[in-house]
Amino acid sequence: MPFSKYASGLTRLCLFTCSTAAFCLLITDSNAQTVSNGFWQAQNIYQIVTDRFFDGDASNNNAEGNYNPGSSSGSTVHGGDFKGIEQKLDYIKALGATAIWISPIVQNASGQFHGYAGSDFYRVAPHWGTLADLQHMIQAAHARGILVINDIVVNHGGDLIYSTDAGYSTYKAPPDGYNLRYRNGSKQFAAPFNTNALNPSLTNLFHNNGGIPNYNNPEPVELGELSGLDDFRTESPYVRSNMAAIYNYWIGTVGFDGFRIDTVKHVEMGFWQEWAPVVHAYAAANGKPNFFMFGECYDGSDSKCGSYTGTQGGGPFKLDSVLDYPLYFKINSVFASASGNTKQLEDRYNAIAANYDPAAQTRLVTFLDNHDQPRFLSISGATTARLDLALLFLYTSRGIPCLYYGTEQAFNGTTDPNDREDMFDGQFEQGPSLGDNFNMTHPQFQTVARMNNFRRLYAPLQIGTHVNKWYTPSGPGLFAYARRLGTQEVFVVFNTASSAQTLTNRSTIFAPGTHIVNLLDPTEVLTVTATPETPPITVQGMTGKIFVAESDWRPLDPVVVGNSPAHDATNSPTTAPIILKFSKPMDTNSVQASFRTTPPISGTFTWAAARDTMTFTPEGAGFPVLTTITARVTNAVDTISGNTMFSPYELKFKTGPMVSLPAFKITNVSVVNSSNVQISCSSEVNRTYQLQRRDTLDAASLWQDFGTAVSGTGGVIVLTVSEDEMGETQFYRVAQR
C-alpha cells in the first residue's frame, strides 16, 4: 500500500520518479470532503470537445502530423485548440455557462484528437497549443467567472503495448497473463510510466490480462484492456502515487477547478479511496477548497454509480459526484421520443438517497447527450420542441446541469464520431452543424441562455430541495415539482403529451392569495387558493411553465434576439445595414457607444420608435467586398430595469463580390465638356451604383472604385467622372451593390 499512517495525523505519500530517487508529500489525513455542496450546485457546465470547437491558431494544427479536417472517418485532428476556446469565452458566458469541461490535455500516443490515449502525462498535446496557451485560456475564463474542468484518465494510456503470445488478446484471469512488449521501440510511454530500475518490466506498470470479454463481470472490467488501450496496473503503489503527482501538477500549474474522470468503473475501488483524498487535499492546500471531481460510470445502476461517491460503501471519501447515467437512460424515453411515462423520473429520484453519499445526492451531473452518446435530436421522434422541453427540465431540476456543445445549435449527429461535429466552419459537419455555429440568436441558444438567467435570479433552481407534485404513470403527460429554499418556491410543470393537459390543485408553500407569475409568459398570473394550493394549470402539449411569487419576479438581462444579416450569412451586399433587435427597449447611447465592427467601418444609427431595434448603415461604399464582418455590442443597458447585458453579443457574416450591371443597362455615355463625362444607366431602388476602373482587360486585374457612388431611384441615374479622374489607358464599368 502506498500510504502509511502516523500518530501525527498526517499521511506520507512517497512518489517514486523514473530514477531511484524518491520524494515525499505530506497531506492531511481525512475521510471527509470539504467542498461546499452549494458552490457546485449553483454551477452549470458546458462540455467541449476541444479539437472540434474553434481553431484559434492554425499554426499548431499539424504539430503532430495528424491534421486532416476533411477526413470522413472523423478520427483526425480538425484544428480546435486552447486559443480557440479563449476566443469564444464570451459566447460561452452569453449562453450562461459557469464552467467548461474540456478534453484531456495530455500528449497522446498517436496525436489523437480526443485526448483519451495519453502517452506523456506531463506534456500538453502540441496540436492544442502550448502550456502558456492553456494557462492564458484558464486565466481568461476565470476573469469571466467561468470555472474550468479537465477531463482526465487514470485507467489507461494509448495503445503502444501488445503481446506476441498465442491467443492475445483473449482475456486471461490472474495469475495467468501475457508477456508484453512495445509495438514500436521508438514510441514508448514517457516517465513516470517508462520502464526503469524500479519497474524493469512492462507488467510492473500495466495489466497483462488481455481484453474485456464481459462487461458484467467486474474482474475483467477492471483488469482488461478497454478497446485495446493499455491498462495501467492501478493497484500498484507506484502507479497510484504517480497518478496523484501528475494531476496535482496540473492543478498547481494551470489552475483547474475540477476533474471529470473517465472510465471510473474500470479502476478498482481501492485506487479511488487512496487517490481522491490526496488530490482533494492538494487542491485545498493550493487555493482550491471547492475542487470538484465527478466520474464517468457508464452504467444504469444507481448502486454501481453511487458506490464511487463519498464514503458510500465505507472507507475514505472518494469522488464528489458522478455523471447521472441512470437519469440519462430515462430521458430519451420521456423527452426525445416522448413515448414513456413521466413517473420514471420520480422513480429515479427516489433511488438516490439509498445509493449515493449525501454530499453527492444533490450534485449529480445531469445531461441530455454527450460525446459518447447520440445527440438528442438524432433520436427517432425527437424535435426541437421536445429539445426545448428537455432543456427546461435540465436547468430547473435537481443536480448540476451539463450541456454538450452544439446542442444549443440543434446539432443532430448520431453516434461517435458523428456526434463530434465541428462547431466552427470546418469540414466535418452536416445539416444543422454546417458553417459557423456560434449563433447567439439561434432559438435553442436563446432557450438555454434564458434558463440560465432564471438560475441566476432564483436560488431555489440552484440549491433548492426537490418536492414532487405530480407525475403521469400511464404514459406521456404531466410532471410537476417544486424547488424550495426556505420560504421561496419555484413551481415547475411540463407536459410531454401532444395535447393539452390540466394539472389539478397542488399543495404549495406559497401563502394563500399569493399571485404567482409564469416566467415563460409573465402575462399569465394565477392566485394561490386558501388551502393553500396552486389553482388548476393547463399546459399545452410539449410545453412547460415555471411559476414564482409575483413579489419574487425579477427582470431578465437584455439580449439580442434577432439580427440581419443572419449569422454566418454569405454574399451580403456591402451596403446592407446591420439590424439588431433587442429583447427590451434599450438605452440607445449605451448600445451605440459599445457597438463595433471588424474591420472598423463608420456609419449612421437609427432606431425604431420602441427603441428595441437598431439599424447601423455603413457610409460610402459600405463594407469591404468578400470580407468576414464581425459586429459586437458590449455592456449595453436596457431602459426598463437598468440591467446590463450579461456578456458581449457577436454577429459574423461575409460580404459578397461587387456586382456589375449588365452592359445593356447603360443607356448613354456623353461628353458634357472637355472636363467631364456622364454615364447614364437604369437603376433599382435600394441599390448603389459605383463607377470602377482598371488598367487592362486581364481578368486578374482588380476593378477599383472611383468617383462618388449614386443611390438608385428606380429610374435613370447619371454618374459623372471628371477628366482628372480618367486615364488614357484605363477601362471603365458601372458596378451595382
Side-chain angles (χ1 to χ4, degrees):
M1 300 294 288
F3 298 100
S4 300
K5 296 291 179 69
Y6 293 86
S8 63
L10 296 176
T11 300
R12 182 176 297 270
L13 170 59
C14 293
L15 305 169
F16 296 95
T17 66
C18 56
S19 69
T20 57
F23 64 94
C24 297
L25 173 68
L26 293 179
I27 64 168
T28 301
D29 178 24
S30 173
N31 288 346
Q33 165 63 306
T34 59
V35 168
S36 163
N37 283 7
F39 180 85
W40 277 96
Q41 280 180 263
Q43 310 306 321
N44 73 93
I45 302 168
Y46 185 66
Q47 182 196 353
I48 293 169
V49 175
T50 303
D51 178 65
R52 305 299 160 87
F53 194 60
F54 192 69
D55 186 354
D57 182 1
S59 69
N60 58 37
N61 286 351
N62 205 35
E64 296 174 80
N66 198 22
Y67 179 63
N68 188 1
S71 171
S72 61
S73 71
S75 62
T76 54
V77 169
H78 291 183
D81 48 32
F82 301 136
K83 286 185 177 179
I85 294 174
E86 181 172 343
Q87 291 170 26
K88 294 302 178 182
L89 287 173
D90 286 339
Y91 170 90
I92 294 168
K93 183 173 181 180
L95 188 65
T98 62
I100 54 174
W101 151 15
I102 66 172
S103 303
I105 61 170
V106 301
Q107 181 159 10
N108 276 213
S110 299
Q112 283 89 341
F113 81 90
H114 48 68
Y116 295 98
S119 60
D120 187 342
F121 286 75
Y122 278 106
R123 187 183 181 200
V124 167
H127 71 265
W128 282 326
T130 65
L131 175 62
D133 293 339
L134 174 60
Q135 291 168 324
H136 198 273
M137 181 272 286
I138 293 175
Q139 291 165 4
H142 288 167
R144 290 167 172 81
I146 297 173
L147 304 168
V148 182
I149 299 165
N150 185 212
D151 204 331
I152 69 167
V153 187
V154 302
N155 174 67
H156 59 263
D159 183 12
L160 297 177
I161 296 168
Y162 79 126
S163 177
T164 56
D165 293 358
Y168 182 80
S169 61
T170 301
Y171 183 76
K172 288 185 177 182
D176 203 359
Y178 296 97
N179 296 297
L180 300 179
R181 61 185 296 176
Y182 277 108
R183 295 180 182 275
N184 182 338
S186 64
K187 294 182 68 174
Q188 300 189 14
F189 284 95
F193 301 125
N194 58 326
T195 52
N196 52 59
L198 288 173
N199 299 290
S201 170
L202 287 171
T203 55
N204 297 131
L205 299 165
F206 299 92
H207 290 134
N208 62 338
N209 306 99
I212 302 172
N214 180 1
Y215 284 86
N216 294 317
N217 184 342
E219 182 191 272
V221 166
E222 292 179 358
L223 300 180
E225 290 187 348
L226 174 67
S227 302
L229 296 167
D230 300 337
D231 200 71
F232 284 113
R233 190 173 290 277
T234 46
E235 67 272 26
S236 156
Y238 180 90
V239 172
R240 288 186 180 185
S241 60
N242 278 285
M243 281 296 181
I246 286 166
Y247 291 113
N248 286 347
Y249 166 81
W250 288 114
I251 295 170
T253 302
V254 303
F256 287 124
D257 303 290
F259 290 148
R260 179 269 188 185
I261 307 171
D262 191 58
T263 52
V264 163
K265 74 175 184 179
H266 293 272
V267 179
E268 74 282 358
M269 193 66 71
F271 176 93
W272 303 118
Q273 291 173 328
E274 296 187 357
W275 179 88
V278 175
V279 176
H280 275 138
Y282 179 87
N286 286 271
K288 301 283 182 180
N290 290 314
F291 196 84
F292 186 63
M293 295 195 287
F294 62 100
E296 177 218 22
C297 179
Y298 185 18
D299 203 297
S301 165
D302 277 302
S303 62
K304 181 67 173 176
C305 292
S307 68
Y308 297 98
T309 63
T311 59
Q312 186 73 10
F317 195 100
K318 302 177 289 292
L319 305 181
D320 302 304
S321 182
V322 290
L323 285 165
D324 198 344
Y325 264 104
L327 178 63
Y328 166 76
F329 289 123
K330 312 291 185 186
I331 280 175
N332 285 338
S333 167
V334 174
F335 295 102
S337 66
S339 57
N341 66 61
T342 62
K343 178 178 180 291
Q344 58 188 308
L345 296 176
E346 194 60 28
D347 289 344
R348 165 76 226 313
Y349 287 155
N350 289 335
I352 290 176
N355 290 292
Y356 295 83
D357 183 88
Q361 291 175 13
T362 56
R363 296 188 299 163
L364 299 177
V365 179
T366 57
F367 60 98
L368 304 182
D369 46 21
N370 63 30
H371 63 303
D372 289 326
Q373 304 301 327
R375 288 193 180 271
F376 182 97
L377 284 175
S378 74
I379 304 301
S380 178
T383 64
T384 53
R386 292 176 179 178
L387 175 57
D388 283 341
L389 196 60
L391 290 168
L392 182 151
F393 170 72
L394 181 70
Y395 286 99
T396 62
S397 58
R398 61 186 290 176
I400 302 170
C402 180
L403 187 77
Y404 185 41
Y405 85 98
T407 299
E408 80 280 11
Q409 300 289 336
F411 282 14
N412 63 0
T414 53
T415 54
D416 176 15
N418 296 311
D419 57 355
R420 304 176 182 190
E421 308 97 314
D422 293 337
M423 185 78 167
F424 60 97
D425 187 5
Q427 299 177 50
F428 189 71
E429 48 192 18
Q430 53 77 38
S433 62
L434 288 169
D436 179 278
N437 293 286
F438 296 94
N439 180 3
M440 294 186 180
T441 58
H442 190 284
Q444 275 64 57
F445 180 97
Q446 297 264 314
T447 294
V448 174
R450 182 161 56 160
M451 291 298 159
N452 277 323
N453 200 159
F454 292 152
R455 283 176 60 86
R456 293 196 298 272
L457 292 173
Y458 305 105
L461 291 177
Q462 299 178 348
I463 59 176
T465 59
H466 166 91
V467 181
N468 181 259
K469 305 311 298 180
W470 185 263
Y471 52 74
T472 302
S474 57
L478 296 171
F479 190 74
Y481 49 96
R483 300 295 306 279
R484 292 174 179 168
L485 181 64
T487 59
Q488 280 189 297
E489 177 171 311
V490 178
F491 189 92
V492 182
V493 56
F494 58 79
N495 178 13
T496 63
S498 58
S499 58
Q501 296 197 12
T502 299
L503 180 71
T504 56
N505 302 61
R506 300 287 96 195
S507 62
T508 179
I509 63 171
F510 292 129
T514 298
H515 292 159
I516 57 175
V517 58
N518 178 7
L519 295 179
L520 300 175
D521 178 10
T523 64
E524 182 179 9
V525 180
L526 306 177
T527 303
V528 174
T529 67
T531 30
E533 292 177 322
T534 57
I537 302 172
T538 298
V539 186
Q540 297 301 312
M542 282 297 157
T543 66
K545 298 183 178 184
I546 308 169
F547 289 93
V548 299
E550 192 172 43
S551 59
D552 289 335
W553 181 89
R554 297 293 182 269
L556 296 172
D557 297 326
V559 295
V560 176
V561 295
N563 48 249
S564 176
H567 182 81
D568 201 37
T570 57
N571 290 316
S572 178
T574 58
T575 56
I578 294 175
I579 303 172
L580 303 181
K581 182 172 177 57
F582 292 84
S583 58
K584 299 179 178 184
M586 300 298 291
D587 176 336
T588 58
N589 289 332
S590 72
V591 177
Q592 292 174 195
S594 67
F595 179 86
R596 298 287 186 275
T597 65
T598 304
I601 295 291
S602 58
T604 58
F605 295 96
T606 57
W607 286 84
R611 291 188 294 177
D612 63 351
T613 304
M614 182 204 80
T615 300
F616 172 80
T617 303
E619 293 178 346
F623 299 108
V625 298
L626 300 175
T627 301
T628 296
I629 307 298
T630 302
R632 282 174 64 88
V633 178
T634 59
N635 300 320
V637 179
D638 76 66
T639 58
I640 295 179
S641 61
N643 285 9
T644 302
M645 294 174 65
F646 185 65
S647 183
Y649 158 85
E650 185 172 283
L651 163 69
K652 283 190 175 182
F653 61 92
K654 297 174 185 175
T655 56
M658 186 72 76
V659 180
S660 297
L661 280 171
F664 68 84
K665 284 197 174 183
I666 297 177
T667 57
N668 186 46
V669 178
S670 60
V671 178
V672 178
N673 51 46
S674 60
S675 299
N676 293 284
V677 173
Q678 290 185 341
I679 300 175
S680 302
C681 64
S682 57
S683 70
E684 301 173 15
V685 177
N686 296 327
R687 290 284 193 172
T688 300
Y689 295 82
Q690 174 72 56
L691 282 171
Q692 293 184 317
R693 65 187 176 193
R694 66 183 182 187
D695 292 334
T696 72
L697 286 177
D698 183 355
S701 177
L702 296 177
W703 289 99
Q704 303 290 332
D705 291 354
F706 77 106
T708 302
V710 176
S711 297
T713 63
V716 174
I717 59 169
V718 178
L719 300 100
T720 302
V721 56
S722 69
E723 181 181 33
D724 292 339
E725 293 174 311
M726 300 183 70
E728 294 181 0
T729 60
Q730 291 178 326
F731 299 86
Y732 299 85
R733 72 176 183 182
V734 177
Q736 178 192 63
R737 293 191 175 98

